[in-house]
Amino acid sequence: MLDDDLDDIHPLFAGAPSTTEFKKLRKRIVRQTREAIEQYGMIERGTRWLVCLSGGKDSYTLLAVLHELKWRGLLPVDLLACNLDQGQPGFPATVLPEFLERMGVEHRIEYQDTYSVVMDKVPQGRTYCALCSRLRRGNLYRIAREEGCSAVVLGHHRDDILETFFMNLFHGGRLATMPPKLVNEEGDLFVYRPLAHVAEADCEKFAVSMNYPIIPCDLCGSQDGLQRQQVKQILDQWEKNSPGRRQVMFRALTNVRPSHMLDPKLFDFMGLALGKDKIDQIADEIPKLR
């Protein structure tokens, strides 16, 4: 159980609001993060995690909550915060290093100009997200190996997972989303998403309440008509019309019934057979139907 004493806390929580509302918010996020870590078997005692920090509200929330769990002895792993400066024009390069130094958080800042590569390779009018993400992920995997980390830890939350599901449904023709835990293609690193159960709205309330120095992503966010933005708008409207709809849909992703879908790779439809008693019963009924 988490106590209510916010004085004995990691520096990342220094100056936290003392309101009941914020205490409830913090405890909810910490509880949901701990649940995801335990439910999906993320902890390997004594390992090291590379915690990816973009400077957005989600990654600040991730960093703070993981350090609180470690501070309280509930996360027996070492944490290394990492920011990949991708050479984006106007990126405030000093904000994160100064913040992490002030918070006493072990960190690594890496500069790789992937921005120029993306701008050169992606035709005008096309979205940058896919190539940008691929280049970023490759660099983070490399850094994790160099630092002796067993896992790359990302700040994707519940709403990211839902949006990805619907993007795959609407545009990819498949039922898939971001899993909370996976192994990379090379088979040498885990990828974790401990905020899988946490709502985006809670991340935003938390980061704003803590007054963390949020850095917007102007590369992807500046493009209109992105598929993800369209899906987000649809989900927002559903949530507005039926509050709680997001959580119901998320729960559905954890309650899949392969026998009630249509994928023969997941369920042996060809092997379905009636029991002997049922076969005998049908055989008895056939003469009556003639």
Side-chain angles (χ1 to χ4, degrees):
M1 293 290 292
L2 297 173
D3 57 49
D4 290 322
D5 183 4
L6 292 179
D7 296 325
D8 180 23
I9 203 70
H10 190 277
L12 281 164
F13 280 83
S18 59
T19 64
T20 300
E21 181 182 4
F22 179 82
K23 289 182 179 181
K24 288 181 178 179
L25 171 67
R26 163 190 153 264
K27 293 179 76 170
R28 179 168 63 250
I29 294 175
V30 171
R31 184 189 72 251
Q32 291 172 338
T33 303
R34 186 182 179 190
E35 286 174 352
I37 289 173
E38 293 178 350
Q39 181 177 356
Y40 297 104
M42 298 181 189
I43 295 179
E44 291 182 280
R45 186 176 294 272
T47 56
R48 197 178 198 205
W49 289 5
L50 188 76
V51 182
C52 302
L53 188 65
S54 66
K57 63 184 186 307
D58 311 326
S59 63
Y60 276 122
T61 301
L62 174 69
L63 183 72
V65 173
L66 292 183
H67 274 85
E68 170 155 1
L69 288 171
K70 181 174 175 61
W71 181 266
R72 295 184 180 278
L74 300 172
L75 186 62
V77 302
D78 291 329
L79 302 174
L80 175 66
C82 177
N83 171 250
L84 179 64
D85 182 344
Q86 297 178 260
Q88 195 171 320
F91 182 78
T94 62
V95 170
L96 285 171
E98 291 175 356
F99 172 80
L100 294 168
E101 288 286 350
R102 191 166 67 253
M103 296 295 110
V105 173
E106 184 182 2
H107 63 278
R108 172 171 169 174
I109 306 295
E110 178 85 4
Y111 178 81
Q112 291 290 330
D113 185 9
T114 64
Y115 174 84
S116 297
V117 177
V118 171
M119 297 302 292
D120 179 62
K121 298 295 183 183
V122 178
Q124 188 172 4
R126 300 289 295 276
T127 60
Y128 306 130
C129 300
L131 179 58
C132 181
S133 296
R134 190 159 63 248
L135 294 173
R136 181 171 61 249
R137 190 68 58 87
N139 278 289
L140 292 173
Y141 287 167
R142 171 183 57 80
I143 295 167
R145 295 182 186 109
E146 291 173 358
E147 295 290 347
C149 297
S150 65
V152 172
V153 186
L154 306 175
H156 296 125
H157 45 66
R158 181 200 69 181
D159 297 79
D160 287 324
I161 291 172
L162 270 178
E163 289 162 15
T164 301
F165 172 80
F166 281 103
M167 286 175 64
N168 282 318
L169 177 67
F170 295 154
H171 303 287
R174 61 183 178 272
L175 296 181
T177 189
M178 298 172 172
K181 176 183 180 180
L182 62 85
V183 175
N184 68 338
E185 292 182 359
E186 293 79 6
D188 64 337
L189 291 169
F190 285 112
V191 177
Y192 294 151
R193 297 182 171 94
L195 298 184
H197 295 171
V198 179
E200 179 179 17
D202 280 353
C203 291
E204 182 168 11
K205 290 176 187 175
F206 177 82
V208 170
S209 296
M210 290 303 305
N211 199 31
Y212 291 144
I214 296 173
I215 303 172
C217 176
D218 295 325
L219 178 62
C220 300
S222 64
Q223 294 179 287
D224 294 329
L226 291 176
Q227 292 176 354
R228 185 171 292 274
Q229 290 301 319
Q230 294 171 350
V231 169
K232 184 185 287 289
Q233 290 171 7
I234 292 172
L235 294 177
D236 285 344
Q237 188 61 47
W238 284 349
E239 185 71 21
K240 180 179 178 181
N241 293 340
S242 303
R245 184 64 55 204
R246 270 190 169 93
Q247 186 57 30
V248 173
M249 290 188 289
F250 182 80
R251 191 163 67 245
L253 295 180
T254 70
N255 188 25
V256 179
R257 299 183 181 181
S259 64
H260 287 56
M261 303 298 286
L262 283 75
D263 191 342
K265 296 187 296 295
L266 293 181
F267 187 80
D268 184 15
F269 294 100
M270 296 294 290
L272 278 179
L274 298 175
K276 185 178 182 303
D277 292 343
K278 188 63 177 177
I279 293 174
D280 291 342
Q281 179 184 345
I282 293 175
D284 291 340
E285 293 293 332
I286 288 176
K288 301 176 184 178
L289 299 176
R290 290 176 180 169

